Amino acid sequence: MKTFLFLLISTFSFAQDVSEKEVVKPIESLFKAMKSADSLGVKNAFSSSAIMQTFGKNNEIKTEKVEGFAKQVGAAKVGDLDERFTISKILVDGNMASVWVPYQFYYKGNFSHCGVNSFQLTKLNNEWKIQYIIDTRRKENCIK
């Protein structure tokens, strides 16, 4: 019985690790595409119906289209956009996941701002895609 229980727990833990690694792939791909000025890579990280939002000045929420963001990334030079991030929390339930990602953003090698990205991901056609992202941005209380 102890062997069965150990195998069950080990299998469950391994399945969760593999699932979490798969969940974060589009997030890692997005930041790699940004640093590489790869607009197609940016688009490929998102689902076709994805929503991008950010908190602007006076806590107004601004919505941006993935296509517009990808175009901005493609217009940058390689290395200009460097979002350094940490995966803080991953929650998965079936084909839905939520990932909390604190970050520090550098533009052309200079610190610009920091904040947190909140990603909602969906598994579509056996592949995880970013469905929704909202982020905060600030210049104070940042770890550089």
Side-chain angles (χ1 to χ4, degrees):
M1 181 65 176
K2 286 182 183 178
T3 303
F4 174 75
L5 186 58
F6 174 77
L7 287 174
L8 181 64
I9 291 170
S10 297
T11 302
F12 177 75
S13 295
F14 178 73
Q16 285 296 99
D17 289 345
V18 170
S19 177
E20 289 180 356
K21 287 179 185 176
E22 293 298 313
V23 166
V24 300
K25 276 185 181 179
I27 296 169
E28 292 169 339
S29 295
L30 170 64
F31 294 139
K32 182 179 178 184
M34 287 171 59
K35 193 166 186 175
S36 301
D38 176 6
S39 61
L40 184 58
V42 168
K43 289 181 196 175
N44 286 338
F46 290 89
S47 74
S48 61
S49 60
I51 299 169
M52 296 182 69
Q53 295 185 313
T54 188
F55 281 94
K57 293 181 181 177
N58 302 321
N59 279 330
E60 295 174 17
I61 296 176
K62 296 181 179 183
T63 302
E64 184 174 4
K65 295 186 182 283
V66 172
E67 295 80 19
F69 178 66
K71 188 175 179 180
Q72 289 174 341
V73 168
K77 291 185 177 152
V78 174
D80 278 358
L81 310 174
D82 184 10
E83 190 150 341
R84 301 173 190 177
F85 65 99
T86 306
I87 304 293
S88 176
K89 182 81 171 171
I90 302 171
L91 301 171
V92 181
D93 186 30
N95 291 334
M96 181 179 75
S98 179
V99 183
W100 190 259
V101 183
Y103 72 91
Q104 300 83 38
F105 184 77
Y106 290 78
Y107 180 67
K108 294 185 177 183
N110 297 310
F111 177 78
S112 173
H113 61 275
C114 70
V116 172
N117 295 303
S118 174
F119 288 95
Q120 301 301 308
L121 297 102
T122 54
K123 191 172 186 180
L124 306 166
N125 300 318
N126 280 334
E127 187 176 20
W128 287 99
K129 295 283 186 176
I130 300 166
Q131 179 62 41
Y132 177 70
I133 178 176
I134 189 166
D135 68 81
T136 60
R137 297 177 188 184
R138 63 181 184 278
K139 293 186 181 278
E140 63 281 339
N141 299 319
C142 298
I143 300 170
K144 298 177 192 174

